[in-house]
Amino acid sequence: MVNKKIIFFFFVLIISACNDKVTIADSTDDALSLLETEVFYNQKMSLPEGAKLEVRLEDVSKMDIASELISSAIRVIKSAPPYALQIAFPSEKIKKSHRYSLRASIKVDDKLYFISTMHIDPFAVGIASPIKVKVDPVGK
């Protein structure tokens, strides 16, 4: 068990050295899995300094209540899109009978600039890796 945690720590350390700043939240369990995502937008613009990308894995199975956060990852954006981001999540939180979705957003100083508007099932049969997530601009 300790060896898995050490290996995971070094894996995250190597990933964060290759990317910009990466933070992984809600992933403290022993059996972890990874989702590789690639977030992009079609607008020809650069983002202001301090822009942050967050990708969330959510359980959207239950109707009429807010989705349950399984895990999320945050990255400070310092380059042009696409933005690669990996999400580590506890494997035991994934149930076959539930529905899951990836949600991405880009914020600058807590102001929302872009958000994903399509449902993306990260566990769908035949989905490519990395999972491409398109974000659309938020109306001003």
Side-chain angles (χ1 to χ4, degrees):
M1 289 204 202
V2 174
N3 289 340
K4 285 182 181 179
K5 288 182 181 182
I6 291 171
I7 290 170
F8 176 73
F9 172 76
F10 284 112
F11 180 73
V12 170
L13 187 63
I14 290 169
I15 291 170
S16 63
C18 296
N19 291 328
D20 296 331
K21 183 180 175 187
V22 173
T23 305
I24 297 176
D26 296 328
S27 57
T28 58
D29 296 277
D30 289 340
L32 294 173
S33 296
L34 280 177
L35 286 176
E36 294 186 25
T37 65
E38 187 176 279
V39 178
F40 68 98
Y41 54 85
N42 291 333
Q43 288 67 23
K44 295 185 187 237
M45 66 176 282
S46 59
L47 293 168
E49 189 173 316
K52 292 182 183 176
L53 165 66
E54 179 179 22
V55 179
R56 300 166 55 100
L57 173 61
E58 300 175 339
D59 183 341
V60 294
S61 303
K62 298 175 185 164
M63 299 284 231
D64 299 328
I65 64 168
S67 58
E68 176 189 346
L69 176 66
I70 303 297
S71 188
S72 69
I74 298 172
R75 171 184 168 180
V76 175
I77 297 173
K78 296 182 180 178
S79 59
Y83 308 112
L85 194 57
Q86 293 184 330
I87 303 172
F89 62 93
S91 301
E92 74 272 357
K93 285 195 173 184
I94 305 303
K95 311 282 189 263
K96 286 190 179 223
S97 61
H98 287 211
R99 291 183 52 228
Y100 298 91
S101 184
L102 286 176
R103 182 176 301 179
S105 63
I106 298 175
K107 294 181 180 179
V108 178
D109 297 328
D110 291 325
K111 181 179 178 192
L112 189 61
Y113 272 57
F114 289 89
I115 192 161
S116 56
T117 57
M118 303 274 302
H119 169 75
I120 299 171
D121 180 356
F123 306 114
V125 174
I127 195 159
S129 184
I131 301 168
K132 300 200 183 311
V133 181
K134 181 181 179 243
V135 290
D136 296 309
V138 174
K140 303 240 179 202

